[in-house]
Structure formats: C-alpha cells, structure tokens
Coordinates of all heavy atoms in Angstrom, one line a residue:
M1 N 23.1 23.9 -14.2 CA 23.0 24.8 -15.3 C 21.8 25.8 -14.8 O 20.7 25.4 -14.4 CB 22.4 24.2 -16.5 CG 22.2 25.2 -17.6 SD 21.8 24.3 -19.1 CE 20.0 24.4 -19.0
I2 N 22.1 27.1 -14.8 CA 21.1 28.1 -14.5 C 20.5 28.6 -15.8 O 21.2 29.1 -16.6 CB 21.7 29.3 -13.6 CG1 22.3 28.7 -12.3 CG2 20.6 30.3 -13.3 CD1 23.1 29.6 -11.4
D3 N 19.3 28.5 -15.8 CA 18.5 28.9 -17.1 C 17.3 29.7 -16.8 O 16.2 29.3 -16.7 CB 18.1 27.5 -17.8 CG 17.7 27.8 -19.2 OD1 17.6 29.1 -19.6 OD2 17.4 26.9 -19.9
P4 N 17.5 31.0 -16.5 CA 16.4 31.9 -16.2 C 15.2 32.1 -17.2 O 14.2 32.5 -17.1 CB 17.0 33.2 -15.9 CG 18.3 33.2 -16.7 CD 18.7 31.7 -16.7
Q5 N 15.5 31.6 -18.5 CA 14.6 31.8 -19.6 C 14.1 30.3 -20.0 O 13.6 30.2 -21.2 CB 15.1 32.6 -20.7 CG 15.3 34.1 -20.3 CD 15.9 34.8 -21.4 OE1 16.2 34.4 -22.6 NE2 16.0 36.2 -21.3
A6 N 14.3 29.4 -19.2 CA 13.9 28.0 -19.6 C 12.5 27.8 -20.0 O 12.2 27.1 -20.9 CB 14.2 27.1 -18.5
H7 N 11.6 28.7 -19.5 CA 10.2 28.6 -19.9 C 9.8 29.1 -21.3 O 8.7 29.0 -21.8 CB 9.4 29.3 -18.8 CG 9.6 30.8 -18.7 ND1 10.8 31.3 -18.3 CD2 8.9 31.9 -19.1 CE1 10.8 32.6 -18.3 NE2 9.7 33.0 -18.8
L8 N 10.9 29.7 -21.9 CA 10.7 30.4 -23.2 C 11.2 29.4 -24.3 O 10.7 29.7 -25.5 CB 11.5 31.7 -23.2 CG 11.0 32.8 -22.4 CD1 11.9 33.8 -22.4 CD2 9.6 33.1 -22.5
F9 N 11.9 28.4 -24.0 CA 12.5 27.5 -25.0 C 12.2 26.1 -24.8 O 12.2 25.6 -23.7 CB 14.0 27.8 -25.1 CG 14.4 29.2 -25.4 CD1 14.7 30.0 -24.3 CD2 14.1 29.9 -26.6 CE1 15.0 31.3 -24.5 CE2 14.5 31.1 -26.8 CZ 14.9 31.9 -25.8
P10 N 12.0 25.2 -25.8 CA 11.8 23.8 -25.7 C 13.0 23.1 -25.0 O 14.2 23.5 -25.3 CB 11.6 23.3 -27.1 CG 11.4 24.5 -28.0 CD 12.0 25.7 -27.2
R11 N 12.9 22.1 -24.3 CA 13.9 21.5 -23.5 C 14.6 20.4 -24.4 O 15.6 19.8 -24.0 CB 13.5 21.0 -22.2 CG 12.7 22.0 -21.4 CD 13.6 23.2 -21.1 NE 14.6 22.8 -20.2 CZ 15.7 23.6 -19.9 NH1 15.8 24.8 -20.4 NH2 16.6 23.3 -19.0
E12 N 14.0 20.0 -25.5 CA 14.5 18.8 -26.3 C 16.0 19.0 -26.7 O 16.7 18.0 -26.7 CB 13.6 18.6 -27.6 CG 12.1 18.1 -27.2 CD 11.2 19.2 -26.7 OE1 11.4 20.3 -27.0 OE2 10.3 18.9 -26.1
L13 N 16.3 20.2 -27.2 CA 17.7 20.4 -27.6 C 18.6 20.2 -26.4 O 19.7 19.5 -26.6 CB 17.8 21.7 -28.2 CG 19.2 22.0 -28.7 CD1 19.7 21.0 -29.9 CD2 19.3 23.5 -29.4
L14 N 18.3 20.6 -25.3 CA 19.2 20.5 -24.2 C 19.4 19.1 -23.9 O 20.4 18.5 -23.6 CB 18.5 21.2 -22.9 CG 19.3 20.9 -21.7 CD1 20.7 21.5 -21.6 CD2 18.5 21.5 -20.4
H15 N 18.2 18.3 -23.8 CA 18.3 16.8 -23.5 C 19.2 16.1 -24.5 O 20.0 15.2 -24.3 CB 16.9 16.2 -23.6 CG 16.1 16.6 -22.3 ND1 15.9 15.8 -21.2 CD2 15.6 17.8 -21.9 CE1 15.3 16.4 -20.3 NE2 15.0 17.7 -20.7
Q16 N 19.1 16.4 -25.9 CA 19.9 15.9 -26.9 C 21.4 16.2 -26.6 O 22.2 15.3 -26.8 CB 19.5 16.3 -28.3 CG 18.1 15.8 -28.7 CD 17.6 16.5 -30.0 OE1 18.2 17.3 -30.5 NE2 16.4 16.2 -30.4
E17 N 21.7 17.4 -26.3 CA 23.0 17.8 -26.1 C 23.7 17.1 -25.0 O 24.8 16.7 -24.9 CB 23.1 19.3 -26.0 CG 22.9 20.1 -27.3 CD 22.8 21.7 -27.1 OE1 22.7 22.0 -25.9 OE2 22.8 22.3 -28.1
L18 N 22.9 17.0 -24.0 CA 23.4 16.3 -22.7 C 23.6 14.8 -23.0 O 24.6 14.3 -22.5 CB 22.3 16.4 -21.5 CG 22.2 17.9 -21.0 CD1 21.1 17.9 -20.0 CD2 23.6 18.3 -20.4
A19 N 22.6 14.2 -23.8 CA 22.8 12.7 -24.2 C 24.1 12.6 -24.9 O 24.9 11.7 -24.7 CB 21.7 12.2 -24.9
V20 N 24.4 13.5 -25.9 CA 25.5 13.4 -26.7 C 26.8 13.6 -25.9 O 27.9 12.9 -26.1 CB 25.5 14.4 -27.8 CG1 26.8 14.5 -28.6 CG2 24.4 14.0 -28.9
A21 N 26.7 14.5 -24.9 CA 27.9 14.8 -24.0 C 28.2 13.5 -23.1 O 29.3 13.5 -22.6 CB 27.7 16.1 -23.4
G22 N 27.1 12.7 -22.8 CA 27.3 11.6 -22.0 C 27.4 12.0 -20.5 O 28.0 11.3 -19.8
V23 N 26.7 13.1 -20.1 CA 26.8 13.5 -18.8 C 25.9 12.5 -18.0 O 24.9 12.0 -18.5 CB 26.2 15.0 -18.6 CG1 27.1 15.9 -19.3 CG2 24.8 15.1 -19.0
H24 N 26.2 12.5 -16.7 CA 25.5 11.6 -15.8 C 24.4 12.2 -15.0 O 23.4 11.7 -14.7 CB 26.5 10.8 -14.9 CG 27.3 9.9 -15.7 ND1 27.0 8.7 -16.4 CD2 28.7 10.0 -16.0 CE1 27.9 8.2 -17.1 NE2 29.0 9.0 -16.8
T25 N 24.8 13.4 -14.4 CA 23.9 14.2 -13.6 C 24.0 15.7 -14.0 O 25.1 16.2 -14.1 CB 24.3 14.0 -12.1 OG1 24.2 12.6 -11.7 CG2 23.3 14.7 -11.2
V26 N 22.9 16.3 -14.2 CA 22.8 17.7 -14.5 C 21.6 18.2 -13.5 O 20.5 17.6 -13.4 CB 22.4 18.0 -15.9 CG1 22.2 19.5 -16.2 CG2 23.5 17.5 -16.8
V27 N 21.8 19.4 -13.0 CA 20.8 20.1 -12.2 C 20.6 21.4 -12.9 O 21.4 22.1 -13.2 CB 21.2 20.3 -10.7 CG1 20.2 21.2 -10.0 CG2 21.5 19.1 -10.0
T28 N 19.3 21.6 -13.2 CA 19.0 22.9 -13.9 C 18.2 23.7 -13.0 O 17.3 23.1 -12.2 CB 18.2 22.7 -15.2 OG1 17.0 22.1 -14.9 CG2 19.0 22.0 -16.4
I29 N 18.5 24.9 -12.8 CA 17.7 25.9 -12.0 C 17.0 26.8 -12.9 O 17.6 27.4 -13.8 CB 18.7 26.7 -11.1 CG1 19.4 25.7 -10.2 CG2 17.8 27.6 -10.2 CD1 20.4 26.3 -9.3
E30 N 15.7 26.8 -12.9 CA 14.9 27.4 -13.8 C 13.6 28.0 -13.1 O 13.4 27.7 -12.0 CB 14.4 26.5 -15.0 CG 13.7 25.3 -14.5 CD 13.6 24.3 -15.6 OE1 14.6 23.8 -16.3 OE2 12.4 23.8 -15.8
P31 N 12.9 28.9 -13.8 CA 11.7 29.6 -13.0 C 10.7 28.6 -12.7 O 10.3 27.7 -13.5 CB 11.3 30.6 -14.1 CG 12.3 30.7 -15.2 CD 13.2 29.4 -15.1
D32 N 10.1 28.8 -11.5 CA 8.9 28.0 -11.2 C 7.7 28.9 -11.7 O 7.8 30.0 -12.1 CB 8.8 27.7 -9.7 CG 8.6 28.9 -8.9 OD1 8.6 30.0 -9.3 OD2 8.5 28.6 -7.6
P33 N 6.5 28.4 -11.6 CA 5.3 29.2 -12.0 C 5.3 30.6 -11.4 O 4.9 31.5 -12.1 CB 4.1 28.3 -11.5 CG 4.7 26.9 -11.6 CD 6.1 27.1 -11.1
A34 N 5.6 30.7 -10.1 CA 5.5 32.0 -9.5 C 6.5 33.0 -10.1 O 6.1 34.2 -10.3 CB 5.7 31.9 -8.0
S35 N 7.6 32.5 -10.4 CA 8.7 33.4 -11.1 C 8.3 33.7 -12.4 O 8.5 34.8 -12.9 CB 10.0 32.6 -11.0 OG 10.5 32.5 -9.7
I36 N 7.7 32.8 -13.2 CA 7.3 33.1 -14.6 C 6.1 34.1 -14.6 O 6.2 35.0 -15.4 CB 6.7 31.7 -15.2 CG1 7.9 30.8 -15.5 CG2 6.0 32.1 -16.6 CD1 7.6 29.5 -15.9
R37 N 5.2 34.1 -13.6 CA 4.2 35.2 -13.5 C 4.8 36.4 -13.1 O 4.4 37.5 -13.6 CB 3.1 34.7 -12.4 CG 2.2 33.7 -12.9 CD 1.0 33.5 -11.9 NE 1.3 33.1 -10.6 CZ 1.7 31.9 -10.1 NH1 1.6 30.9 -11.1 NH2 2.1 31.7 -8.9
A38 N 5.9 36.4 -12.3 CA 6.5 37.7 -11.9 C 7.3 38.3 -13.1 O 7.3 39.6 -13.2 CB 7.5 37.4 -10.7
F39 N 7.9 37.5 -13.9 CA 8.5 37.8 -15.1 C 7.6 38.7 -16.0 O 7.9 39.8 -16.5 CB 9.2 36.7 -15.9 CG 10.5 36.4 -15.5 CD1 10.6 34.9 -15.3 CD2 11.5 37.1 -15.3 CE1 11.9 34.4 -14.9 CE2 12.8 36.6 -14.9 CZ 13.0 35.3 -14.7
G40 N 6.4 38.1 -16.2 CA 5.4 38.7 -17.1 C 5.8 38.4 -18.5 O 6.7 37.7 -18.8
S41 N 5.1 38.9 -19.4 CA 5.3 38.7 -20.8 C 6.5 39.6 -21.5 O 6.9 39.2 -22.5 CB 4.0 38.9 -21.7 OG 3.5 40.2 -21.5
D42 N 6.8 40.6 -20.8 CA 7.8 41.6 -21.3 C 9.0 41.5 -20.5 O 9.0 42.1 -19.4 CB 7.3 43.0 -21.6 CG 8.2 44.0 -22.1 OD1 9.4 43.6 -22.3 OD2 8.0 45.2 -22.1
L43 N 10.1 40.7 -20.8 CA 11.2 40.6 -20.0 C 12.0 42.0 -19.8 O 12.9 42.1 -19.0 CB 12.2 39.6 -20.5 CG 11.6 38.2 -20.5 CD1 12.6 37.1 -21.1 CD2 11.2 37.7 -19.2
N44 N 11.7 43.0 -20.7 CA 12.3 44.3 -20.6 C 11.5 45.2 -19.7 O 11.9 46.4 -19.5 CB 12.5 44.9 -21.9 CG 13.5 44.1 -22.8 OD1 14.5 43.7 -22.3 ND2 13.1 43.8 -24.0
D45 N 10.4 44.7 -19.0 CA 9.6 45.7 -18.2 C 10.3 45.8 -16.8 O 10.2 44.9 -16.0 CB 8.1 45.0 -18.0 CG 7.2 45.8 -17.1 OD1 7.8 47.0 -16.7 OD2 6.2 45.4 -16.9
R46 N 11.0 46.9 -16.6 CA 11.6 47.0 -15.3 C 10.8 47.1 -14.2 O 11.3 46.8 -13.0 CB 12.5 48.3 -15.5 CG 13.6 48.1 -16.4 CD 14.6 49.4 -16.4 NE 15.5 49.2 -17.5 CZ 16.7 49.8 -17.4 NH1 17.0 50.5 -16.4 NH2 17.6 49.5 -18.3
T47 N 9.5 47.3 -14.2 CA 8.7 47.2 -13.1 C 8.5 45.7 -12.6 O 8.1 45.6 -11.4 CB 7.3 47.8 -13.4 OG1 6.6 47.0 -14.4 CG2 7.4 49.3 -13.8
A48 N 8.8 44.7 -13.5 CA 8.7 43.4 -13.0 C 10.0 42.9 -12.4 O 10.0 41.7 -11.9 CB 8.3 42.5 -14.3
W49 N 11.0 43.6 -12.6 CA 12.4 43.1 -12.1 C 12.3 42.9 -10.6 O 12.9 41.8 -10.2 CB 13.5 44.1 -12.5 CG 13.8 44.1 -14.0 CD1 13.0 43.5 -14.9 CD2 14.9 44.6 -14.6 NE1 13.6 43.7 -16.1 CE2 14.6 44.5 -16.0 CE3 15.9 45.4 -14.2 CZ2 15.7 44.9 -16.9 CZ3 16.9 45.9 -15.0 CH2 16.7 45.6 -16.5
E50 N 11.8 43.7 -9.7 CA 11.8 43.5 -8.3 C 11.0 42.4 -7.9 O 11.5 41.5 -7.2 CB 11.5 44.8 -7.6 CG 11.3 44.6 -6.1 CD 12.6 44.4 -5.4 OE1 13.7 44.7 -5.9 OE2 12.7 43.8 -4.3
P51 N 9.7 42.2 -8.4 CA 9.0 41.1 -8.1 C 9.5 39.7 -8.6 O 9.4 38.7 -7.9 CB 7.6 41.3 -8.9 CG 7.5 42.8 -9.0 CD 8.9 43.3 -9.1
A52 N 10.2 39.8 -9.7 CA 10.9 38.6 -10.2 C 12.0 38.2 -9.4 O 12.3 37.1 -9.0 CB 11.4 38.8 -11.6
Y53 N 12.8 39.2 -8.9 CA 13.8 38.9 -7.9 C 13.4 38.3 -6.7 O 13.9 37.3 -6.1 CB 14.6 40.2 -7.6 CG 15.7 40.1 -6.6 CD1 16.9 39.5 -6.9 CD2 15.4 40.6 -5.3 CE1 17.8 39.4 -5.9 CE2 16.3 40.5 -4.3 CZ 17.6 39.9 -4.6 OH 18.5 39.8 -3.7
Q54 N 12.3 38.9 -6.1 CA 11.7 38.4 -4.9 C 11.2 37.0 -5.0 O 11.3 36.1 -4.2 CB 10.6 39.3 -4.4 CG 11.1 40.7 -3.9 CD 12.0 40.6 -2.8 OE1 12.0 39.8 -1.9 NE2 13.0 41.5 -2.9
A55 N 10.6 36.7 -6.2 CA 10.2 35.2 -6.6 C 11.3 34.3 -6.5 O 11.3 33.2 -6.1 CB 9.3 35.2 -7.9
G56 N 12.4 34.8 -7.1 CA 13.7 34.0 -7.1 C 14.2 33.6 -5.8 O 14.6 32.6 -5.4
L57 N 14.2 34.7 -4.9 CA 14.6 34.6 -3.5 C 13.8 33.4 -2.8 O 14.3 32.7 -2.0 CB 14.6 35.9 -2.7 CG 15.7 36.8 -3.1 CD1 15.5 38.2 -2.3 CD2 17.0 36.3 -2.8
R58 N 12.5 33.5 -3.0 CA 11.6 32.6 -2.4 C 11.9 31.1 -2.7 O 11.6 30.2 -1.9 CB 10.1 32.9 -2.6 CG 9.5 34.1 -1.9 CD 8.1 34.2 -2.1 NE 7.7 34.4 -3.4 CZ 7.7 35.6 -4.1 NH1 8.0 36.8 -3.3 NH2 7.3 35.7 -5.3
Q59 N 12.5 30.9 -3.9 CA 12.8 29.6 -4.4 C 14.2 29.2 -3.9 O 14.4 27.9 -4.0 CB 12.9 29.6 -5.8 CG 11.6 29.8 -6.6 CD 11.7 29.9 -8.0 OE1 12.2 30.8 -8.6 NE2 11.4 28.8 -8.7
A60 N 14.9 30.0 -3.3 CA 16.4 29.7 -2.9 C 16.5 28.5 -2.1 O 17.4 27.8 -2.2 CB 17.1 30.9 -2.4
T61 N 15.7 28.5 -1.0 CA 15.7 27.4 -0.1 C 15.6 26.0 -0.7 O 16.3 25.0 -0.5 CB 14.8 27.6 1.2 OG1 15.0 28.8 1.7 CG2 14.8 26.5 2.1
D62 N 14.4 25.9 -1.5 CA 14.3 24.6 -2.1 C 15.4 24.2 -3.1 O 15.8 23.1 -3.2 CB 12.9 24.7 -2.9 CG 11.7 24.7 -2.0 OD1 11.9 24.3 -0.9 OD2 10.6 25.1 -2.5
A63 N 15.9 25.3 -3.9 CA 17.0 25.0 -4.8 C 18.2 24.6 -4.2 O 18.8 23.6 -4.6 CB 17.2 26.3 -5.6
A64 N 18.5 25.2 -3.0 CA 19.7 24.8 -2.3 C 19.6 23.4 -1.7 O 20.6 22.7 -1.9 CB 19.9 25.8 -1.1
E65 N 18.4 23.0 -1.2 CA 18.2 21.6 -0.9 C 18.3 20.6 -1.9 O 19.0 19.6 -1.8 CB 16.8 21.5 0.0 CG 16.6 20.1 0.4 CD 17.5 19.7 1.5 OE1 18.3 20.5 2.1 OE2 17.5 18.5 1.8
Q66 N 17.8 20.9 -3.1 CA 17.9 20.0 -4.2 C 19.4 19.9 -4.7 O 19.9 18.8 -5.0 CB 17.1 20.5 -5.4 CG 17.2 19.5 -6.7 CD 15.9 18.9 -6.9 OE1 14.9 19.3 -6.5 NE2 16.1 17.9 -7.7
L67 N 20.1 20.9 -4.7 CA 21.5 21.0 -5.1 C 22.3 20.1 -4.1 O 23.1 19.3 -4.4 CB 22.0 22.4 -5.2 CG 21.6 23.2 -6.4 CD1 21.9 24.6 -6.3 CD2 22.1 22.6 -7.7
R68 N 22.0 20.3 -2.8 CA 22.8 19.7 -1.7 C 22.5 18.1 -1.8 O 23.5 17.4 -1.8 CB 22.3 20.1 -0.3 CG 23.0 19.5 0.8 CD 22.6 19.8 2.2 NE 21.1 19.2 2.4 CZ 20.7 17.9 2.5 NH1 21.9 17.0 2.6 NH2 19.6 17.4 2.7
L69 N 21.2 17.7 -2.1 CA 21.0 16.2 -2.3 C 21.7 15.7 -3.4 O 22.2 14.6 -3.4 CB 19.5 16.0 -2.3 CG 18.7 16.3 -1.1 CD1 17.2 16.2 -1.3 CD2 19.0 15.3 0.0
T70 N 21.6 16.4 -4.6 CA 22.3 15.9 -5.7 C 23.8 15.9 -5.6 O 24.5 14.9 -6.0 CB 22.0 16.8 -7.0 OG1 20.5 16.8 -7.2 CG2 22.7 16.4 -8.2
W71 N 24.4 16.8 -4.9 CA 25.9 16.9 -4.7 C 26.3 15.7 -3.8 O 27.2 15.0 -4.0 CB 26.2 18.2 -4.0 CG 27.7 18.4 -3.7 CD1 28.3 18.1 -2.6 CD2 28.7 18.7 -4.6 NE1 29.7 18.2 -2.7 CE2 29.9 18.6 -3.9 CE3 28.6 19.2 -6.0 CZ2 31.1 19.0 -4.6 CZ3 29.9 19.5 -6.6 CH2 31.1 19.4 -5.9
E72 N 25.4 15.5 -2.7 CA 25.9 14.4 -1.7 C 25.6 13.0 -2.3 O 26.4 12.1 -2.2 CB 25.0 14.5 -0.5 CG 25.4 15.7 0.3 CD 24.4 15.8 1.6 OE1 23.4 15.1 1.7 OE2 24.8 16.7 2.3
T73 N 24.6 12.8 -3.2 CA 24.4 11.6 -3.7 C 25.0 11.2 -5.1 O 25.2 10.2 -5.5 CB 22.8 11.2 -3.9 OG1 22.2 12.1 -4.8 CG2 22.1 11.3 -2.5
G74 N 25.2 12.4 -5.8 CA 25.8 12.3 -7.1 C 24.8 11.7 -8.1 O 25.3 11.1 -9.1
S75 N 23.5 11.7 -7.8 CA 22.6 11.1 -8.8 C 21.4 12.0 -8.9 O 21.1 13.0 -8.3 CB 22.3 9.7 -8.1 OG 21.5 10.0 -7.1
D76 N 20.5 11.5 -9.8 CA 19.2 12.1 -10.1 C 18.3 12.1 -8.9 O 18.2 11.1 -8.3 CB 18.6 11.3 -11.3 CG 17.5 11.9 -11.9 OD1 16.9 12.9 -11.3 OD2 17.1 11.4 -13.1
T77 N 17.6 13.2 -8.7 CA 16.7 13.2 -7.4 C 15.3 13.2 -7.9 O 14.4 13.3 -7.0 CB 17.0 14.4 -6.6 OG1 16.8 15.6 -7.4 CG2 18.4 14.3 -6.0
D78 N 15.1 13.1 -9.2 CA 13.6 13.2 -9.5 C 13.0 11.6 -9.7 O 11.9 11.6 -9.9 CB 13.3 13.9 -10.9 CG 13.9 13.3 -12.1 OD1 14.4 12.1 -12.1 OD2 13.8 13.9 -13.2
G79 N 13.9 10.7 -9.5 CA 13.4 9.3 -9.5 C 13.1 8.7 -10.9 O 12.9 7.4 -10.9
A80 N 13.1 9.4 -11.9 CA 12.8 8.8 -13.3 C 14.1 8.2 -13.9 O 15.1 8.8 -13.8 CB 12.3 9.9 -14.2
P81 N 14.0 6.9 -14.4 CA 15.3 6.4 -14.8 C 15.7 7.1 -16.1 O 15.0 7.6 -16.9 CB 14.9 4.9 -15.1 CG 13.3 5.0 -15.4 CD 13.0 6.2 -14.5
P82 N 17.1 7.1 -16.3 CA 17.5 7.6 -17.7 C 17.1 6.6 -18.8 O 16.7 5.6 -18.6 CB 19.1 7.4 -17.6 CG 19.4 7.3 -16.1 CD 18.1 6.7 -15.5
G83 N 17.0 7.2 -20.0 CA 16.5 6.5 -21.1 C 17.0 7.1 -22.4 O 17.7 8.1 -22.4
P84 N 16.5 6.6 -23.5 CA 16.9 7.1 -24.8 C 16.5 8.7 -24.8 O 15.4 9.0 -24.5 CB 16.0 6.4 -25.8 CG 15.8 5.1 -25.1 CD 15.7 5.4 -23.7
G85 N 17.6 9.5 -25.1 CA 17.3 10.9 -25.2 C 17.0 11.6 -23.8 O 16.8 12.8 -23.8
R86 N 17.3 10.8 -22.7 CA 17.1 11.4 -21.4 C 18.2 10.9 -20.5 O 18.2 9.8 -19.9 CB 15.8 11.0 -20.7 CG 15.6 11.8 -19.4 CD 14.5 11.2 -18.7 NE 14.2 12.0 -17.5 CZ 15.0 11.9 -16.3 NH1 16.0 11.0 -16.3 NH2 14.7 12.5 -15.3
P87 N 19.3 11.7 -20.3 CA 20.4 11.3 -19.6 C 19.8 11.4 -18.0 O 18.7 11.9 -17.7 CB 21.4 12.3 -19.7 CG 20.7 13.5 -20.3 CD 19.5 13.0 -21.0
D88 N 20.7 10.9 -17.1 CA 20.3 10.9 -15.8 C 20.4 12.4 -15.3 O 21.5 13.0 -15.2 CB 21.4 10.2 -14.9 CG 21.2 10.1 -13.5 OD1 20.0 10.5 -13.1 OD2 22.0 9.6 -12.7
T89 N 19.3 13.0 -15.2 CA 19.2 14.4 -15.1 C 18.3 14.8 -13.9 O 17.2 14.3 -13.8 CB 18.6 15.0 -16.2 OG1 19.3 14.6 -17.5 CG2 18.6 16.5 -16.3
S90 N 18.8 15.7 -12.9 CA 18.0 16.2 -12.0 C 17.5 17.6 -12.3 O 18.4 18.5 -12.8 CB 18.9 16.4 -10.7 OG 19.2 15.1 -10.3
Y91 N 16.3 18.0 -12.1 CA 15.8 19.3 -12.4 C 15.4 20.0 -11.1 O 14.7 19.4 -10.2 CB 14.6 19.2 -13.4 CG 15.1 18.8 -14.8 CD1 14.9 17.6 -15.1 CD2 15.6 19.7 -15.5 CE1 15.4 17.1 -16.3 CE2 16.1 19.3 -16.8 CZ 16.0 18.0 -17.1 OH 16.4 17.7 -18.3
C92 N 15.8 21.2 -11.0 CA 15.6 22.0 -9.8 C 14.9 23.2 -10.3 O 15.5 24.0 -11.0 CB 16.9 22.2 -9.1 SG 16.7 23.3 -7.6
R93 N 13.7 23.5 -9.8 CA 13.1 24.8 -10.1 C 13.6 25.8 -9.1 O 13.2 25.8 -8.0 CB 11.6 24.6 -10.1 CG 11.0 23.6 -10.8 CD 11.1 23.8 -12.3 NE 10.4 22.7 -13.0 CZ 10.9 21.8 -13.8 NH1 12.1 21.8 -14.1 NH2 10.1 21.0 -14.4
G94 N 14.6 26.6 -9.5 CA 15.4 27.4 -8.6 C 15.3 28.8 -8.6 O 14.5 29.4 -9.4
P95 N 16.2 29.4 -7.9 CA 16.0 30.9 -7.8 C 16.6 31.7 -9.0 O 17.9 31.8 -9.2 CB 17.0 31.3 -6.5 CG 18.0 30.1 -6.6 CD 17.2 28.9 -7.0
V96 N 15.7 32.1 -9.8 CA 16.1 32.7 -11.1 C 15.5 34.0 -11.4 O 15.5 34.6 -12.4 CB 16.0 31.8 -12.3 CG1 16.9 30.6 -12.2 CG2 14.5 31.6 -12.4
G97 N 14.8 34.5 -10.4 CA 13.9 35.8 -10.5 C 14.7 37.0 -10.8 O 14.2 38.0 -11.2
G98 N 15.9 37.1 -10.4 CA 16.6 38.3 -10.4 C 17.5 38.6 -11.6 O 17.7 38.0 -12.5

C-alpha cells in the first residue's frame, strides 16, 4: 500500500481493517522524516513539490530492498509478532515524495 499522507492520519483504522480482512502480509510505503519535512505543512505549496520528489527518490533504494525481502520471504520483516489488532504487517518507509 502506498500512502503518501500516512503521517497525517492515525494508523489504528488501517490496522483494524487489515485484521478484519485477515491479511497476512502488508507492506506500506509512507514518508520518512526527511520526506515529511520536504512536504512542509502546506501540501498545496508547489515550491515544496520538487524537494518532496527528491526526498522520495532518496528513499527508493531502501523501499525496493524491503519490498524484495518481503516478496521473497512472504512474511513480516519488522520482527514483531502479529497480535490482537496487529496482523502480520511489514512497514516500509518508502519513496512517496513526488
């Protein structure tokens, strides 16, 4: 799941929906701290679009590796066990700046 505005919304609803759906592995690609800073507080500020895009490009290598590992193993790569309200979920802070 690519979620470029993940930093703006609580994750609890997503976790509940995934638990109800019975999914086993989910990888979310969302902004890391550098991308969030590049976005700034006004998502309509076009002067921030290029820096946000560049921040996303910098994340691409890490995101690709996380996705590759998850694809190859078919499992969670963050090491935390699934539990109530938390399905087997992998989180990837990935390229979303653009």
